[in-house]
Amino acid sequence: SIASAVVAELKQSGVNTLYLYAYNSIYGAYYTTNYPYTAVENGYGLQNIFSAITQQAELEGLDVIAVIPLNN
């Protein structure tokens, strides 16, 4: 999967913490949600990429910090 490949490459590079965008004010959320006022990004968002990478990172012992830009 994409999540497995991304996390494996990052871990191999010595990364121990991921700063992962959870939401983009233009494209929407990178996770699926039923919240009525949140758009979901049409590509990776519909694939729930945020959750997939977060879960894979946890399995590999990496920390994940969700980034939600508030000033856009």
Side-chain angles (χ1 to χ4, degrees), residues 1-18 51-64:
S1 74
I2 293 172
S4 299
V6 167
V7 172
E9 187 170 332
L10 291 170
K11 187 171 182 177
Q12 184 179 8
S13 297
V15 170
N16 62 9
T17 303
L18 306 179
S51 179
I53 289 177
T54 300
Q55 289 174 12
Q56 189 64 39
E58 185 177 287
L59 290 173
E60 296 292 334
L62 303 177
D63 293 324
V64 177

Side-chain angles (χ1 to χ4, degrees), residues 6-59:
V6 167
V7 172
E9 187 170 332
L10 291 170
K11 187 171 182 177
Q12 184 179 8
S13 297
V15 170
N16 62 9
T17 303
L18 306 179
Y19 290 84
L20 190 60
Y21 273 93
Y23 182 81
N24 180 292
S25 61
I26 296 171
Y27 301 109
Y30 293 106
Y31 54 90
T32 56
T33 179
N34 293 328
Y35 186 70
Y37 302 108
T38 301
V40 176
E41 193 272 334
N42 287 328
Y44 291 128
L46 292 177
Q47 295 177 40
N48 205 5
I49 195 70
F50 178 83
S51 179
I53 289 177
T54 300
Q55 289 174 12
Q56 189 64 39
E58 185 177 287
L59 290 173

